Amino acid sequence: MVLPTTGEQTRLTQGLDAFGRLAADKALRTCLAEHRTPAPPHEPPAFVRFSDIPDLPFIDRNGFNGVIVPGTADPTGDRPAEGAGRGVQDRCMKTGTSVEQSLRSLYVAVQGSWFREESSLRTHPRVLAALRSFGPCMADRQIEAPDENAFFALVDQRMQAGDTTGERALGRAYSACMKPAEDVRSELRKALGARFRADHRQEIDALNTALPARIREYERRYAVRISFPVL
């Protein structure tokens, strides 16, 4: 969950991050209910993907739209509170934030180190060579996107226009055209990950004990369940 090396593994990473936000949301709402204060409008917890480690099979099937985490409460909220109610909302939001931070503090340091290591692959000569096929591959599919930046600008346009059919078609094209580069990155990433795990064995061993215990604690305390995107 903490140190993904493949797109499929990032589904676990997304679930872990979303679990922290879900527990925070439950803590926020519990605090507000105790003070009989309305919940402020806010974005519901969702699974957030990792662009550096793309989950190509998932994108091929589902496109780029986000997925709301199961168990999320009604995201609409009520009108913003005023006066004392606003003060309660602020305090309860801080309570929720502290819940998420308490979970993330267990793994964020070692995970951040891993993502920094993994990001070095962006400029690896083998990866750059493999990425040269991306633009021509898109052109073969009648998509004007010479590189990833141009491609995701097009995805944003489709999504903002509500064109779900076009966005899903772009997902299938991306999965196909990014596969040569991702095959190379995946091979390099797995080797890099093995070295990273060896170098950080003590931290990882401690995390393997502390993180499951904290997840179980949060599931009991906040009556939520950890969940993951499914293909």
Side-chain angles (χ1 to χ4, degrees):
M1 288 192 293
V2 174
L3 309 173
T5 58
T6 68
E8 183 176 359
Q9 288 175 359
T10 67
R11 297 174 210 169
L12 303 179
T13 313
Q14 293 174 59
L16 175 61
D17 289 348
F19 177 68
R21 293 192 295 274
L22 186 61
D25 185 70
K26 184 61 177 290
L28 163 66
R29 292 176 182 277
T30 299
C31 175
L32 291 169
E34 290 172 349
H35 292 86
R36 298 183 180 181
T37 301
H42 66 290
E43 290 295 322
F47 297 117
V48 179
R49 299 178 199 166
F50 295 84
S51 58
D52 270 7
I53 313 178
D55 186 354
L56 298 184
F58 195 94
I59 293 171
D60 180 71
R61 176 168 292 188
N62 300 286
F64 296 96
N65 276 310
V67 180
I68 300 300
V69 178
T72 298
D74 179 3
T76 55
D78 297 297
R79 63 180 180 81
E82 299 178 358
R86 179 59 181 273
V88 171
Q89 284 185 348
D90 290 343
R91 290 196 299 274
C92 289
M93 290 182 74
K94 289 179 181 178
T95 297
T97 298
S98 70
V99 167
E100 181 180 2
Q101 290 177 342
S102 179
L103 178 69
R104 284 182 55 80
S105 67
L106 294 178
Y107 64 88
V108 68
V110 68
Q111 186 181 72
S113 295
W114 164 239
F115 284 148
R116 285 190 293 274
E117 290 262 359
E118 191 279 332
S119 68
S120 67
L121 298 181
R122 296 174 189 169
T123 56
H124 193 286
R126 287 181 58 196
V127 174
L128 293 176
L131 281 171
R132 293 190 193 112
S133 68
F134 183 83
C137 178
M138 286 290 172
D140 288 343
R141 287 164 172 74
Q142 314 302 313
I143 298 172
E144 190 174 345
D147 54 33
E148 277 193 278
N149 288 338
F151 175 81
F152 282 113
L154 183 58
V155 171
D156 286 343
Q157 289 176 12
R158 296 277 174 89
M159 293 178 72
Q160 289 174 13
D163 182 3
T164 56
T165 300
E167 179 266 331
R168 291 284 293 277
L170 289 178
R172 291 190 292 271
Y174 181 82
S175 181
C177 293
M178 186 52 65
K179 189 176 187 304
E182 183 55 19
D183 284 347
V184 172
R185 284 190 299 211
S186 182
E187 176 190 342
L188 296 169
R189 201 183 291 123
K190 288 176 183 177
L192 190 64
R195 292 195 297 272
F196 184 90
R197 285 172 171 79
D199 292 342
H200 295 265
R201 176 51 50 197
Q202 187 173 357
E203 295 166 83
I204 294 169
D205 286 346
L207 191 56
N208 280 334
T209 299
L211 185 56
R214 183 65 59 83
I215 290 171
R216 289 193 295 270
E217 175 195 342
Y218 273 26
E219 286 185 325
R220 290 192 301 268
R221 181 185 300 177
Y222 302 109
V224 294
R225 293 294 302 274
I226 191 169
S227 59
F228 309 95
V230 294
L231 186 58

